[in-house]
Amino acid sequence: GATSKNIQSRNWYLHDAQWIQFKDEEIVSTTRREDDTIT
Amino acid sequence: MATLPGLSDSLQPLDVTSDPDVPQRLAIPLGSEWRVEVPQDSKLQVKILSGIAEIFGTELAIDIEYTFQNTNFSIYAVEATELEWKCLDLANQSISSNTNLKHIYNLHFSLEKLRVSSFEGPRVLIVGESSSGKTTLAKYLCSYAIKFKPYEPVMVNLNPQEGIFSPPGCLSATPISDILDVSSNTWGQSMTSGATQLHSKQPIVKNFGLENISDNRELYMRIIQQLSEVLSNRFQSDPMVRRSGCVIDTPPFSHFSDDFSELHEIIKLFRITAIVVCAHDDNLAVKINDVLMSQTIPIVRVPTSNGVVQVSDVFKRSLQRSAIKDYFYGDLNTVLSPYTIGVDFDMITVWQPRSALNTDSGSEALYLPVETNASNLQHALVAITYAPRRAPVEEVIDAPILGFALIMEVNDTRKKLRILLPVPGRLPDKALILTAYRYLE
Ligand SMILES: Nc1ncnc2c1ncn2[C@@H]1O[C@H](COP(=O)(O)OP(=O)(O)OP(=O)(O)O)[C@@H](O)[C@H]1O
Ligand SMILES: [Mg+2]
């Protein structure tokens, strides 16, 4: 499958107050294709 | 609800003689499942060629190679399925038409009816003895809920022995807003700094930090209370999550107190509307019904699949270890780069929960201070709270969790530590909590 070429790390978890207000539609899931340019 | 022996078990043990580099072909008839046990140091690769195949409710894509390690699962043919697989040494494999899918479908459809007829989705508590299929059922219910409709049921994990979107030792609540990662033993990943191939989730993670709930039941219930409060607030501010409801997974039933106090409390705090008992017979369901006489909460039994694999302590520990590793380093799909830093002893403040290991401390507080030294901290998983470093203990106990760090090396002489952080940068100036978990590379 496609490999992520950018360096990533785990995010800190949200504070309770932030998580309560969070909407999951803010989570964008994209599939990287191997020929994608890295921004 | 009695068990129906039902369909005769057409168990066909399969030939294990194979050249590991040549993919094996396999046909799974409609309504049957292929059960596999992949040992710790093995890798199973599977590619679906045709048909509709699911792992515990999540459909597999055609022509995509899936890799599995250290896991036991089954691939169910919703429609007759042809697949290819490769593995050096598959421990056990069989095809069976004797599944408990009918009961799971029925339960899912009942929950669907409840979702459609209310602004508040069903809040389902799953109980059962060790290896009765609770967590597997939770996967099914979440996966089916999101399959055809944009629901976002919250997966609530009250079993600190399993890491679900988190390291072990945690209790968590995660809206399931997109498909699960079938290859991941933690159901998938929590958010990372960049884009990921598979959908990441945003859990709220509370740290219990001890191996057994019996190590400190008061703390366990305190953390459950914190989690239920946050979830309740999320339900209030998020209509989609509220109308989807939640699925609550629990520790093995024998881990609860004999007086059922935790059960009562969980039912009250999470406002449970249905209880599902995973079991081979009705005994536990009847017992719970007797205990909850005064309440009118429906209790349903889902028979334990005969494909269930008994979870050994060794296997449990290996899953906990890989949950820690995945938190910092990611998995095959998403590689993460954690960050090592050096800190002086006097730059950290560490607490730990009172437990059987330190009851002679004389203190009644839920947390006790931990002296910074190699004996206490080397190789330890620590939780980083949102509480400021010098916060009083009560504030630390109730503080949300920022994340985790791994204490890799402790030098008592030079009074320095090497710490692995998930996020690059300085060690947050926050109070830390020592967990019972240790991780060596
Ligand atoms: N139909 C099946 N075919 C193959 N493996 C299965 C099947 N159902 C469950 N399993 C496996 O059996 C094991 C035990 O199941 P599960 O984790 O759901 O039980 P549990 O009740 O949650 O256990 P615990 O009490 O330890 O939390 C798991 O490894 C799971 O993947
Ligand atoms: Mg479980």
Side-chain angles (χ1 to χ4, degrees):
Chain A
T3 30
S4 220
K5 294 195 187 100
N6 59 332
I7 311 269
Q8 287 199 50
S9 61
R10 183 72 57 202
N11 280 357
W12 292 129
Y13 297 133
L14 297 183
H15 187 283
D16 286 1
Q18 294 172 300
W19 189 82
I20 287 164
Q21 297 306 323
F22 191 76
K23 297 292 182 287
D24 261 40
E25 54 211 21
E26 293 175 45
I27 302 172
V28 177
S29 112
T30 61
T31 305
R32 286 229 153 202
R33 294 189 336 266
E34 280 179 337
D35 54 0
D36 272 4
T37 47
I38 313 300
T39 46
Chain B
M1 196 170 128
T3 324
L4 298 165
L7 312 161
S8 63
D9 199 337
S10 57
L11 215 61
Q12 307 155 30
L14 301 170
D15 237 340
V16 204
T17 54
S18 61
D19 173 352
D21 278 331
V22 176
Q24 300 262 295
R25 280 261 176 140
L26 184 74
I28 311 175
L30 182 153
S32 288
E33 62 183 27
W34 179 48
R35 296 170 178 158
V36 291
E37 294 177 38
V38 190
Q40 180 154 22
D41 297 315
S42 268
K43 221 183 251 203
L44 167 69
Q45 286 161 315
V46 175
K47 194 194 290 191
I48 307 296
L49 301 173
S50 67
I52 300 184
E54 288 178 354
I55 294 179
F56 302 144
T58 299
E59 188 174 333
L60 301 177
I62 304 278
D63 280 338
I64 299 287
E65 188 166 79
Y66 289 86
T67 304
F68 301 94
Q69 282 183 283
N70 196 31
T71 181
N72 311 309
F73 64 96
S74 66
I75 296 183
Y76 176 79
V78 177
E79 273 180 23
T81 292
E82 278 242 336
L83 60 82
E84 244 176 33
W85 64 272
K86 271 192 287 190
C87 183
L88 224 66
D89 58 354
L90 211 51
N92 272 312
Q93 51 159 324
S94 60
I95 291 189
S96 174
S97 60
N98 187 358
T99 72
N100 61 353
L101 258 303
K102 183 172 65 170
H103 295 99
I104 298 180
Y105 281 147
N106 286 343
L107 176 58
H108 163 66
F109 287 125
S110 305
L111 299 178
E112 267 300 285
K113 277 201 280 226
L114 293 172
R115 283 189 188 106
V116 160
S117 61
S118 169
F119 287 122
E120 288 213 7
R123 294 180 293 278
V124 181
L125 179 68
I126 302 177
V127 297
E129 296 301 350
S130 196
S131 303
S132 55
K134 301 180 288 299
T135 305
T136 301
L137 178 63
K139 275 184 195 161
Y140 272 115
L141 295 179
C142 290
S143 303
Y144 286 156
I146 70 170
K147 205 182 272 289
F148 301 115
K149 305 235 180 95
Y151 285 124
E152 299 180 2
V154 181
M155 169 55 195
V156 179
N157 176 28
L158 299 186
N159 184 3
Q161 295 194 333
E162 293 187 63
I164 297 182
F165 301 111
S166 77
C170 297
L171 305 186
S172 61
T174 311
I176 306 300
S177 47
D178 206 328
I179 62 167
L180 303 178
D181 179 353
V182 296
S183 299
S184 166
N185 281 329
T186 57
W187 291 39
Q189 293 211 67
S190 62
M191 300 291 297
T192 60
S193 58
T196 52
Q197 253 197 330
L198 295 169
H199 182 266
S200 293
K201 309 290 186 286
Q202 185 80 273
I204 187 77
V205 177
K206 296 289 172 195
N207 175 62
F208 172 63
L210 297 170
E211 292 200 72
N212 300 295
I213 68 177
S214 57
D215 291 337
N216 192 330
R217 291 186 189 278
E218 192 192 334
L219 178 63
Y220 181 62
M221 291 318 296
R222 177 86 168 249
I223 304 286
I224 283 185
Q225 204 168 19
Q226 292 172 6
L227 190 64
S228 67
E229 209 176 299
V230 179
L231 181 59
S232 178
N233 284 315
R234 175 67 180 259
F235 275 143
Q236 271 183 47
S237 72
D238 191 334
M240 193 37 115
V241 162
R242 179 168 68 248
R243 74 197 317 156
S244 307
C246 61
V247 173
I248 303 185
D249 192 12
T250 57
F253 198 78
S254 60
H255 291 200
F256 285 133
S257 306
D258 292 335
D259 63 0
F260 296 84
S261 57
E262 290 108 345
L263 191 65
H264 282 293
E265 193 68 7
I266 288 168
I267 289 169
K268 190 182 81 179
L269 288 171
F270 289 96
R271 297 180 303 128
I272 298 298
T273 59
I275 297 173
V276 180
V277 180
C278 293
H280 288 293
D281 57 46
D282 283 329
N283 293 337
L284 181 58
V286 168
K287 184 156 56 161
I288 292 175
N289 187 53
D290 288 344
V291 167
L292 299 178
M293 271 291 225
S294 57
Q295 311 196 38
T296 51
I297 301 172
I299 301 174
V300 167
R301 178 172 69 95
V302 168
T304 299
S305 165
N306 64 359
V308 116
V309 179
Q310 292 301 309
V311 174
S312 68
D313 279 343
V314 169
F315 180 56
K316 222 178 253 196
R317 284 198 189 290
S318 72
L319 291 178
Q320 290 166 349
R321 186 190 149 75
S322 67
I324 294 173
K325 177 158 172 277
D326 284 2
Y327 173 80
F328 291 99
Y329 295 98
D331 57 24
L332 295 170
N333 283 319
T334 309
V335 176
L336 300 179
S337 278
Y339 189 68
T340 311
I341 57 163
V343 302
D344 298 329
F345 273 22
D346 58 13
M347 282 166 63
I348 65 170
T349 299
V350 188
W351 299 87
Q352 72 174 331
R354 189 167 31 86
S355 73
L357 301 167
N358 51 34
T359 33
D360 54 334
S361 68
S363 166
E364 285 301 302
L366 278 176
Y367 284 177
L368 306 167
V370 176
E371 191 189 319
T372 303
N373 60 42
S375 164
N376 286 334
L377 300 180
Q378 185 123 303
H379 306 306
L381 179 73
V382 296
I384 306 173
T385 71
Y386 269 94
R389 218 191 106 194
R390 299 186 199 285
V393 67
E394 277 303 309
E395 191 180 330
V396 177
I397 293 170
D398 285 334
I401 299 298
L402 187 56
F404 289 86
L406 206 56
I407 302 191
M408 308 194 67
E409 255 177 50
V410 183
N411 189 318
D412 284 331
T413 325
R414 295 171 58 219
K415 300 220 177 288
K416 282 189 186 296
L417 310 114
R418 233 166 34 97
I419 300 186
L420 186 72
L421 291 178
V423 177
R426 302 165 61 88
L427 174 69
D429 195 32
K430 306 287 186 192
L432 308 177
I433 304 173
L434 178 66
T435 75
Y437 295 93
R438 302 288 177 272
Y439 179 89
L440 281 82
E441 295 287 351

